[in-house]
Amino acid sequence: FFFLFLAMSDSLGVFDEYERAYCDAATAASRLLASSKSSPAGGDERTNNLRQADTQITEAESLLRRMDLEARSASANAKTTLLARLKDYKADLANLKKECRSAAAPGGAAGTDAAQRAELGLGEDFASTAAGQRQRLLDGTARVNASGERIRQSRQTLAETEELGSEILGNLHAQRETIVHARDTLYEADDNIGQSRRVLVSMARRALTNKIIMGGVILVLIAAIFLIVYYKFIRSDH
C-alpha cells in the first residue's frame, strides 16, 4: 500500500509539472498572438510572432497529450478531477488554435474586440478569461503542492516518532529483563538464606543436644563419685 501511494504521488507530481509547462506555453502563445495583432499586417514582426505562437501551441498540445496519459493512469478518485481539468485545458487550446488561424488569415489583425483582448489577458475581465483561469489553476497547483509538502513533512515526523517509540519500547524491554534478572537473583538469595537458616538451626539443635549429653555425663560421674566415696569411707566405718 505504501509503494502504491508513492506511485500515485509520483503520477500526480508529473501531471502537475506538465500542467505548469502547459500554462507557461499557453500564456506565451496568448501574448505572442496579442503582439501579432498589434503589428502591421504582412510585417516580419507579425510573421515571427505568429510562428512563435504556433510553436508554443504545438508544445502545449504535446503537453496535453502527456497530461492525458498521466491522468488516465492515476487513481479513480484523482482521475475524475484531472480529466475535468484536462477538458478545460483542451477547450482553452482549441480557442488558441482558432485565434492563431484567424490572426494568420488575411485581415486577421483587424477588428479585435474587447472579448478577444480579455481572452488574451489584456482587458478588464482578465480574471474570468482563459488566461485568468490558467493563473488560478497555477495558484491552485501551488497550494496543492504546498499541501503535499506538508503531508510529506507530517509523514516524516510520524516516521521519526515511530522510530523514537520503537527505541523507547526497546529500552523498556531491556529494563524489564534487568528487573526480572534482579528478581530471580533475589529469589535465589532468599533460598540461600533460608537454607543457611536451616543449617544454623540444625547446628544449634546439635549443640544443645551435645550440652545435654555432657550434662548427663557430668551428673553420672558426680553420682558415681558420691557412691564411691560413700561405699569406701562411710560404709566401711560402720
PDB file of all heavy atoms in Angstrom, residues 39 42 51 161 169 177 180 210:
ATOM      1  N   SER A  39       0.758  44.313 -34.500  1.00  0.00           N
ATOM      2  CA  SER A  39       1.800  44.556 -35.502  1.00  0.00           C
ATOM      3  C   SER A  39       1.180  44.770 -36.873  1.00  0.00           C
ATOM      4  O   SER A  39       0.070  44.287 -37.163  1.00  0.00           O
ATOM      5  CB  SER A  39       2.771  43.357 -35.558  1.00  0.00           C
ATOM      6  OG  SER A  39       3.350  43.136 -34.289  1.00  0.00           O
ATOM      7  N   GLY A  42       1.452  41.644 -42.583  1.00  0.00           N
ATOM      8  CA  GLY A  42       2.478  41.321 -43.562  1.00  0.00           C
ATOM      9  C   GLY A  42       3.883  41.646 -43.112  1.00  0.00           C
ATOM     10  O   GLY A  42       4.839  41.368 -43.839  1.00  0.00           O
ATOM     11  N   ARG A  51       4.616  32.704 -35.900  1.00  0.00           N
ATOM     12  CA  ARG A  51       5.376  31.458 -35.964  1.00  0.00           C
ATOM     13  C   ARG A  51       5.718  30.967 -34.556  1.00  0.00           C
ATOM     14  O   ARG A  51       5.582  29.776 -34.249  1.00  0.00           O
ATOM     15  CB  ARG A  51       6.655  31.671 -36.775  1.00  0.00           C
ATOM     16  CG  ARG A  51       7.433  30.364 -36.997  1.00  0.00           C
ATOM     17  CD  ARG A  51       8.715  30.602 -37.785  1.00  0.00           C
ATOM     18  NE  ARG A  51       8.449  31.137 -39.095  1.00  0.00           N
ATOM     19  CZ  ARG A  51       8.740  32.386 -39.491  1.00  0.00           C
ATOM     20  NH1 ARG A  51       9.342  33.213 -38.641  1.00  0.00           N
ATOM     21  NH2 ARG A  51       8.471  32.796 -40.706  1.00  0.00           N
ATOM     22  N   THR A 161       8.678   9.805  14.909  1.00  0.00           N
ATOM     23  CA  THR A 161       8.007   9.497  16.172  1.00  0.00           C
ATOM     24  C   THR A 161       7.902   7.986  16.371  1.00  0.00           C
ATOM     25  O   THR A 161       8.106   7.467  17.477  1.00  0.00           O
ATOM     26  CB  THR A 161       6.606  10.118  16.187  1.00  0.00           C
ATOM     27  OG1 THR A 161       6.706  11.535  15.965  1.00  0.00           O
ATOM     28  CG2 THR A 161       5.921   9.880  17.521  1.00  0.00           C
ATOM     29  N   LEU A 169      10.444   1.566  23.436  1.00  0.00           N
ATOM     30  CA  LEU A 169       9.969   0.217  23.754  1.00  0.00           C
ATOM     31  C   LEU A 169      11.139  -0.748  23.937  1.00  0.00           C
ATOM     32  O   LEU A 169      11.111  -1.623  24.808  1.00  0.00           O
ATOM     33  CB  LEU A 169       9.050  -0.276  22.631  1.00  0.00           C
ATOM     34  CG  LEU A 169       7.654   0.357  22.573  1.00  0.00           C
ATOM     35  CD1 LEU A 169       6.890  -0.147  21.358  1.00  0.00           C
ATOM     36  CD2 LEU A 169       6.868   0.080  23.845  1.00  0.00           C
ATOM     37  N   GLU A 177      13.880  -6.849  31.378  1.00  0.00           N
ATOM     38  CA  GLU A 177      14.746  -8.022  31.528  1.00  0.00           C
ATOM     39  C   GLU A 177      15.692  -7.855  32.719  1.00  0.00           C
ATOM     40  O   GLU A 177      15.959  -8.812  33.455  1.00  0.00           O
ATOM     41  CB  GLU A 177      15.544  -8.231  30.242  1.00  0.00           C
ATOM     42  CG  GLU A 177      14.709  -8.713  29.063  1.00  0.00           C
ATOM     43  CD  GLU A 177      15.551  -8.969  27.831  1.00  0.00           C
ATOM     44  OE1 GLU A 177      16.735  -8.564  27.836  1.00  0.00           O
ATOM     45  OE2 GLU A 177      15.036  -9.571  26.878  1.00  0.00           O
ATOM     46  N   VAL A 180      13.633  -8.443  35.855  1.00  0.00           N
ATOM     47  CA  VAL A 180      13.347  -9.875  36.015  1.00  0.00           C
ATOM     48  C   VAL A 180      14.585 -10.616  36.506  1.00  0.00           C
ATOM     49  O   VAL A 180      14.509 -11.481  37.399  1.00  0.00           O
ATOM     50  CB  VAL A 180      12.839 -10.458  34.680  1.00  0.00           C
ATOM     51  CG1 VAL A 180      12.764 -11.985  34.762  1.00  0.00           C
ATOM     52  CG2 VAL A 180      11.459  -9.892  34.336  1.00  0.00           C
ATOM     53  N   ASN A 210      24.327 -31.854  72.432  1.00  0.00           N
ATOM     54  CA  ASN A 210      25.654 -32.160  72.999  1.00  0.00           C
ATOM     55  C   ASN A 210      25.774 -31.651  74.437  1.00  0.00           C
ATOM     56  O   ASN A 210      26.363 -32.318  75.312  1.00  0.00           O
ATOM     57  CB  ASN A 210      26.746 -31.556  72.123  1.00  0.00           C
ATOM     58  CG  ASN A 210      26.845 -32.260  70.759  1.00  0.00           C
ATOM     59  OD1 ASN A 210      26.474 -33.427  70.645  1.00  0.00           O
ATOM     60  ND2 ASN A 210      27.348 -31.548  69.766  1.00  0.00           N
TER      61      ASN A 210
END
